[in-house]
Amino acid sequence: MADEDELRLALDFPWERWGVFLHPSQRAMVERSFDGPARVSGSAGTGKTVVALHRAVRLARADPARRILLATFSEPLARELASKVKVLAPEASGIVPRITVSDWANVADELFQLSTGRRPRIAGAEALAELIATAAAEADVRGFSDRFLLSEWTNVVDAWGIDGLEAYAQVPRLGRRSPLGPKQRERLWSVFDRVRSALSARGLFTRSSVYRQVAADYRVRTDKPFGAIIVDEAQDLGPAELVFLSAITPGHADALFFAGDLGQRIFQHPFSWKALGIDVRGRSSTLKVCYRTSRQIRGMADGLLPSALRDPDGNQEDRDGTVSLFDGPAPVVSILDSYEAEIAVVAKFLEDAISDGVAPAEIGIFVRDPASMGRARSAAQRAGVDSEATVALMHLAKGLEFRAVAVVACDEDSLPLQSRIEDAADEGELDDIYETERQLLYVACTRARDRLIVTGITPGSEFLKDL
């Protein structure tokens, strides 16, 4: 674009076209060829997802024999990406059938079924907690709570596929503040070994073990299901997911491309990609042009995060220097005295947006937990947008975009969520909970392009002070 007039024209595009609009400053990452795994990062609104979409279409168009996987963390987001692929490449072009858009869990389940003839039976959270409690009672590991054991299993043993005492004795346990000596690890392994045996006896898998089994199957095969994989929301990949995606694609140029933002990590603990054979150093780029979120919204939301974030491999994402290309109304933070007052304020915000030309389908309303959903729905109903606006949990906001967003019920016990704090196994996990809860609010706020309101009941979330 030559000037701001052209940007204003782009902002007036129909919403479905704006959702795939590629700013010229991002085009280099779409067209560049890489001789190994590559990653693009950047603050919210810098177009990482759009780069991923355009790159998937470009690779499919360049090689008619190559099947492309565009993968992300959830099924709803995969559906959203699939609709955008169709906007970019009409189905008559023959490109759409060669691009599989899916969440990575579903891809793993389908490949597991192709190999074994059955879908994996995944152990639910309650069943897993019961197995750990039973194993702990049998092993008599006094001094370690069931809460700690479940956390250690989830974040260390299962996440890294630890299959024996020797491996457990050497795993670094990144992010864990409670040090464990050799004798302690030996005692704990007696619990985790029982859990592994119990899962096997019942024919149950964890999500991570499905990824590892499919990865082991395809690592030795020359016929890979995809010629290239492009991953959106890559900051929320875990170790098992990363190994799985690497194993199901050939190791040639342009085979693996990741798009993500460390500041939007809300699920996984940080870990070393390089230790798992994925080295993106020298093939990473940070986008600095924010053209999907107004200067006012981005400036406020940036108060939630540090100016620079570093991953365990030393790759640093600098948020300083990011430039927003357009202005909008100042975002509003309102801490109210009652639910009724909050509902009234949010409804007025929505009504004003509608009167200024924002369509109900271009509105998002988000809350932290299901218990607060009624407040969001009441505001939507009062404004008359409940049948078309998106009303959802903050976790489901990732990757989406709206012209107007209301983040509702940011109360003292909701952000950070009190139940998560109570479940923290040690100080390291508590720190990570605070960090991911803060980043979750950042994600929700930056779904707004033009208008944003954030509300809560007195005294409000401690994070609102940073806004």
Side-chain angles (χ1 to χ4, degrees):
M1 294 181 294
D3 54 39
E4 290 191 13
D5 288 338
E6 293 189 17
L7 175 62
R8 292 191 187 97
L9 180 63
L11 289 169
D12 289 334
F13 279 7
W15 189 246
E16 68 274 8
R17 296 296 302 173
W18 170 253
V20 297
F21 174 73
L22 182 73
H23 188 276
S25 65
Q26 329 308 16
R27 190 170 297 280
M29 290 302 293
V30 173
E31 299 177 347
R32 184 178 169 187
S33 183
F34 299 95
D35 60 1
R39 181 168 67 187
V40 63
S41 60
S43 300
T46 54
K48 300 176 297 296
T49 296
V50 180
V51 166
L53 284 163
H54 280 261
R55 189 169 177 86
V57 171
R58 185 188 74 81
L59 291 177
R61 183 176 286 124
D63 183 357
R66 176 184 274 186
R67 288 198 61 200
I68 311 297
L69 171 63
L70 178 57
T72 190
F73 80 100
S74 74
E75 187 176 351
L77 184 52
R79 290 197 299 269
E80 181 77 11
L81 292 177
S83 67
K84 292 181 177 181
V85 168
K86 291 179 181 178
V87 173
L88 271 179
E91 295 188 59
S93 67
I95 292 175
V96 171
R98 290 188 285 109
I99 301 178
T100 299
V101 187
S102 177
D103 60 289
W104 44 69
N106 191 52
V107 175
D109 287 351
E110 289 185 359
L111 293 178
F112 181 96
Q113 185 172 15
L114 283 174
S115 297
T116 65
R118 57 188 174 87
R119 300 284 282 191
R121 293 176 56 219
I122 305 297
E126 291 185 4
L128 190 57
E130 289 179 7
L131 289 177
I132 288 176
T134 300
E138 293 174 352
D140 191 20
V141 283
R142 298 173 188 174
F144 295 102
S145 67
D146 288 351
R147 179 183 302 167
F148 174 86
L149 294 172
L150 179 59
S151 177
E152 185 78 0
W153 166 271
T154 302
N155 297 308
V156 181
V157 178
D158 190 41
W160 288 93
I162 305 301
D163 58 2
L165 176 58
E166 183 177 353
Y168 184 53
Q170 297 175 1
V171 69
R173 301 178 71 247
L174 288 174
R176 311 290 283 173
R177 292 286 181 85
S178 48
L180 295 175
K183 292 294 185 183
Q184 290 173 306
R185 294 200 190 200
E186 185 175 352
R187 290 175 59 207
L188 290 175
W189 183 250
S190 66
V191 175
F192 302 136
D193 194 36
R194 283 177 167 84
V195 174
R196 283 167 48 85
S197 298
L199 288 170
S200 178
R202 291 164 172 78
L204 296 175
F205 291 83
T206 63
R207 178 55 62 193
S208 291
S209 66
V210 173
Y211 291 127
R212 288 194 300 272
Q213 179 159 324
V214 176
D217 181 24
Y218 277 92
R219 189 177 294 115
V220 297
R221 294 171 57 169
T222 57
D223 58 321
K224 307 291 186 178
F226 301 101
I229 296 179
I230 297 168
V231 183
D232 190 32
E233 304 293 349
Q235 74 279 349
D236 277 313
L237 287 168
E241 291 96 318
L242 188 64
V243 168
F244 158 69
L245 292 170
S246 176
I248 63 173
T249 189
H252 55 55
D254 294 330
L256 278 174
F257 185 88
F258 303 94
D261 174 16
L262 293 177
Q264 297 184 59
R265 179 182 64 85
I266 60 176
F267 291 117
Q268 297 291 344
H269 287 275
F271 65 95
S272 171
W273 286 25
K274 185 181 176 184
L276 295 175
I278 308 297
D279 191 355
V280 297
R281 292 177 303 170
R283 292 182 295 272
S284 294
S285 179
T286 301
L287 301 176
K288 293 290 188 177
V289 177
C290 177
Y291 64 99
R292 312 188 75 80
T293 302
S294 73
R295 182 179 292 111
Q296 289 75 11
I297 292 172
R298 184 189 61 80
M300 186 187 78
D302 279 352
L304 291 165
L305 303 178
S307 60
L309 295 166
R310 185 183 296 270
D311 69 18
D313 292 325
N315 298 301
Q316 182 165 303
E317 295 181 6
D318 291 309
R319 313 183 84 78
D320 287 345
T322 300
V323 178
S324 293
L325 295 184
F326 64 94
D327 289 304
V332 176
V333 179
S334 292
I335 301 177
L336 291 310
D337 293 329
S338 67
Y339 295 158
E340 181 59 32
E342 179 189 42
I343 291 168
V345 166
V346 174
K348 179 65 165 57
F349 168 84
L350 300 176
E351 290 166 353
D352 288 347
I354 294 295
S355 66
D356 288 341
V358 177
E362 298 168 353
I363 293 173
I365 309 170
F366 299 104
V367 297
R368 173 60 184 89
D369 63 312
S372 304
M373 192 67 75
R375 290 151 69 179
R377 295 197 183 281
S378 294
Q381 289 169 358
R382 185 172 298 188
V385 300
D386 52 303
S387 62
E388 295 182 68
T390 296
V391 183
L393 299 178
M394 291 182 187
H395 287 83
L396 297 179
K398 288 188 67 174
L400 303 181
E401 183 182 12
F402 304 88
R403 289 185 63 189
V405 166
V407 186
V408 182
C410 298
D411 303 339
E412 184 178 41
D413 58 351
S414 295
L415 272 171
L417 192 64
Q418 190 63 33
S419 59
R420 286 196 71 198
I421 293 174
E422 293 171 355
D423 283 342
D426 57 25
E427 289 186 11
E429 189 166 334
L430 183 61
D431 288 345
D432 193 66
I433 287 170
Y434 269 89
E435 183 177 340
T436 53
E437 291 282 304
R438 179 182 292 273
Q439 290 170 177
L440 183 59
L441 179 58
Y442 173 82
V443 167
C445 290
T446 53
R447 300 311 91 194
R449 191 185 82 175
D450 305 317
R451 298 165 181 256
L452 171 66
I453 187 170
V454 183
T455 65
I457 301 301
T458 303
S461 166
E462 62 187 271
F463 298 153
L464 298 189
K465 297 174 183 177
D466 296 318
L467 297 179

